[in-house]
């Protein structure tokens, strides 16, 4: 993973400011003692601070490659703390060499037991802590902004999808068809069917309203809603439409964005011929890669006047992208249309199948 810090200005001004602060607070007494040339002392100090900054920056890049993201801040800090020990040895050695051989006016001699060694250890620890804090704070704030922006975009995409679905359900022709179907059932005294139809219709609208506040919903609940929605379609089209559901029991507790299945089923009905002579067959199943597959036979309506901007599929894809999941896969062949949706969450083995039915055909 390539790490880009975008710190060109910080890389130039940061060491200067850090050097100035350290000189004022820590080195003024040293400048007043004998044996030091002020100009050399300041130049060597500035070079040393830049060397420390570049080494700390290199450590940050390496650690961030291994532990990226806000959620791994604890691992990064631990790794940086451990790597600071060997880095500190290098930095103190460099500082002793610089100050002994380029700054002290009397006979220089490299010595780990120099009177200033302990001070240099503390000073370099101060430098490293400040540099780590600056870069981690910048990274945390930027990641927080990105996360916030993604959450807002996901929420907006979710609301758009909910609104589109709600519009599609309350649009005049849907209500007209639903009421016509209900009227025909009542006139024919098919009271049980009418009662079931009203129950399914209310369940559809209740789910639309309740799912508005959720980014993800369990596959089980989404399927229960899909059964209710499909029951409305089944009452209307009768033998012109079929639904087959075959879900791996281990996928029971996985999640998907709400209304995903409803949108795909609705698209299949909207853009294909649905009749007893040419039935629309919809299949929902899980494949070996634990993808949820929605498959239907393709029989486009002749002279289809309904525009197809594919906004629904775009919204689904956008949701998965904002959630950091795998891409939604769309396949269209001569007689088949298929959408593969990644299931979100861990797959649990040895679970009973959804609704205790490994395979459902409606």
């Amino acid at each position: 993973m390539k790490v880009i810090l975008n710190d060109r200005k910080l890389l130039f001004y940061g060491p200067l400011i850090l050097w100035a602060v350290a000189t004022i607070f820590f080195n003024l007494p040293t400048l007043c003692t004998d044996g030091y040339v002020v100009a050399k002392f300041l130049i060597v100090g500035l070079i040393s601070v830049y060397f420390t900054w570049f080494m700390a920056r290199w450590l940050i890049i390496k650690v961030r490659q291994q532990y990226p993201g806000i959620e791994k801040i604890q691992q990064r800090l631990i790794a940086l703390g451990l790597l600071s020990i060997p880095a500190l040895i290098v930095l103190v050695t460099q500082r002793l060499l610089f100050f002994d051989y380029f700054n002290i006016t009397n006979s220089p001699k490299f010595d780990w037991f120099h009177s200033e060694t302990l001070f240099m250890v503390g000073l370099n620890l101060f430098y490293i802590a400040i540099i780590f804090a600056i870069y981690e704070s910048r990274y945390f704030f930027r990641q927080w902004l990105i996360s916030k922006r993604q959450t807002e975009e996901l929420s907006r995409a979710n609301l758009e999808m909910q609104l589109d679905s709600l519009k599609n359900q309350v649009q005049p022709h849907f209500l007209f068809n639903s009421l016509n179907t209900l009227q025909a059932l009542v006139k024919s005294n098919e009271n049980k069917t009418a009662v079931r139809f009203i129950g399914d219709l209310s369940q559809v609208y209740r789910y639309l309203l309740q799912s508005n506040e959720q980014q993800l919903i369990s596959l089980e609940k989404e399927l229960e809603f899909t059964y209710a929605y499909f029951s409305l379609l089944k009452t209307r089209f009768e033998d012109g439409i079929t639904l087959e559901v075959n879900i791996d029991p281990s996928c029971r507790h996985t999640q998907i964005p709400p209304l995903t299945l409803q949108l795909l089923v609705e698209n299949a009905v909207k853009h294909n011929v649905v009749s007893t002579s040419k039935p629309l067959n919809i299949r929902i199943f899980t494949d070996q890669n634990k993808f949820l597959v929605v498959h239907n036979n393709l029989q486009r309506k002749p002279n289809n006047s309904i525009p197809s901007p594919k906004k629904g599929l775009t919204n689904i894809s956008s949701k998965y992208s904002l959630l950091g999941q795998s891409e939604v896969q769309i396949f269209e062949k001569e007689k088949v249309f298929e959408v593969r949706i990644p299931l979100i969450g861990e797959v649990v083995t040895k679970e009973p199948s959804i609704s205790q039915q490994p395979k459902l055909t409606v």
Side-chain angles (χ1 to χ4, degrees):
M1 175 184 176
K2 187 177 181 181
V3 176
I4 300 176
L5 297 180
N6 293 323
D7 61 341
R8 182 176 298 178
K9 290 184 178 180
L10 180 63
L11 202 57
F12 178 78
Y13 292 108
L16 282 174
I17 297 173
L18 185 59
W19 166 76
V21 171
T23 300
I24 294 172
F25 283 95
F26 300 115
N27 292 326
L28 279 180
T30 305
L31 291 173
C32 298
T33 61
D34 296 332
Y36 289 92
V37 177
V38 175
K40 284 186 178 181
F41 183 89
L42 295 177
I43 292 172
V44 170
L46 182 58
I47 294 173
S48 181
V49 171
Y50 268 98
F51 183 82
T52 303
W53 193 286
F54 277 94
M55 174 168 281
R57 182 179 183 272
W58 180 78
L59 291 177
I60 289 168
I61 292 175
K62 294 301 179 183
V63 171
R64 199 171 292 177
Q65 287 175 341
Q66 188 70 25
Y67 304 107
I70 294 180
E71 66 282 357
K72 294 184 179 180
I73 185 171
Q74 185 175 357
Q75 293 95 317
R76 283 201 305 277
L77 292 177
I78 292 174
L80 288 172
L82 294 174
L83 291 173
S84 296
I85 299 173
L88 190 62
I89 296 173
V90 174
L91 292 172
V92 171
T93 302
Q94 167 266 327
R95 202 169 182 86
L96 285 171
L97 287 170
F98 266 50
F99 276 87
D100 274 356
Y101 286 91
F102 296 100
N103 195 53
I104 299 178
T105 55
N106 52 22
S107 56
K109 180 181 178 182
F110 177 79
D111 184 9
W112 266 105
F113 300 99
H114 193 284
S115 59
E116 295 292 330
T117 299
L118 187 60
F119 170 75
M120 291 181 180
V121 170
L123 187 61
N124 278 285
L125 276 175
F126 171 76
Y127 287 158
I128 291 174
I130 292 296
I131 296 167
F132 285 169
I134 291 173
Y135 277 96
E136 276 300 308
S137 298
R138 291 175 76 246
Y139 183 67
F140 181 86
F141 184 68
R142 287 184 177 181
Q143 290 297 309
W144 177 78
L145 286 178
I146 292 172
S147 177
K148 183 181 179 182
R149 191 179 303 114
Q150 288 179 341
T151 301
E152 291 174 351
E153 290 177 0
L154 180 61
S155 178
R156 183 169 61 253
N158 189 53
L159 287 173
E160 286 180 359
M161 190 172 179
Q162 302 288 347
L163 182 60
D164 289 342
S165 297
L166 196 57
K167 284 180 178 178
N168 288 331
Q169 300 308 322
V170 300
Q171 59 187 330
H173 79 265
F174 178 84
L175 286 176
F176 180 77
N177 291 332
S178 298
L179 292 175
N180 276 348
T181 302
L182 184 59
Q183 184 183 42
L185 293 173
V186 173
K187 284 184 177 180
S188 62
N189 294 322
E190 295 186 32
N191 294 330
K192 290 183 179 180
T193 305
V195 169
R196 188 183 71 247
F197 184 86
I198 294 172
D200 292 334
L201 188 60
S202 64
Q203 184 176 346
V204 165
Y205 278 97
R206 183 168 59 251
Y207 183 86
L208 286 170
L209 295 174
Q210 291 176 347
S211 63
N212 186 48
E213 299 177 355
Q214 303 181 53
Q215 292 182 355
L216 292 172
I217 199 162
S218 70
L219 177 58
E220 188 171 20
K221 289 185 178 180
E222 179 75 2
L223 280 169
E224 288 175 359
F225 163 71
T226 304
Y227 296 150
Y229 176 72
F230 182 78
S231 182
L232 299 178
L233 298 176
K234 186 69 174 177
T235 304
R236 177 184 170 192
F237 294 109
E238 297 182 341
D239 293 336
I241 188 170
T242 64
L243 173 66
E244 179 183 329
V245 179
N246 189 5
I247 303 297
D248 190 322
S250 63
C251 300
R252 175 179 181 176
H253 298 293
T254 56
Q255 296 179 308
I256 60 174
L259 299 174
T260 299
L261 289 179
Q262 182 268 342
L263 180 61
L264 295 175
V265 171
E266 179 187 16
N267 279 350
V269 173
K270 181 188 294 185
H271 299 292
N272 290 279
V273 173
V274 184
S275 65
T276 306
S277 59
K278 298 185 68 175
L280 178 65
N281 304 311
I282 302 173
R283 294 175 58 219
I284 301 175
F285 59 94
T286 48
D287 64 7
Q288 295 179 347
N289 297 320
K290 303 306 178 184
F291 270 65
L292 185 65
V293 183
V294 180
H295 171 108
N296 65 270
N297 55 318
L298 195 60
Q299 41 193 32
R300 295 289 188 188
K301 292 180 178 179
N303 301 322
N304 191 355
S305 60
I306 301 177
S308 180
K310 296 185 178 181
K311 187 176 180 181
L313 291 174
T314 302
N315 278 340
I316 295 175
S317 298
S318 298
K319 279 190 174 186
Y320 273 90
S321 176
L322 292 171
L323 289 167
Q325 301 296 322
S326 303
E327 293 183 357
V328 175
Q329 302 173 12
I330 302 171
F331 302 95
E332 182 174 347
K333 300 180 181 178
E334 185 179 353
K335 296 183 179 180
V336 171
F337 187 81
E338 187 174 279
V339 180
R340 295 178 176 268
I341 307 165
L343 292 172
I344 302 172
E346 295 184 1
V347 174
V348 181
T349 57
K350 297 183 180 179
E351 285 283 348
S353 61
I354 294 178
S355 302
Q356 302 299 323
Q357 296 178 353
K359 184 174 181 179
L360 174 65
T361 304
V362 181

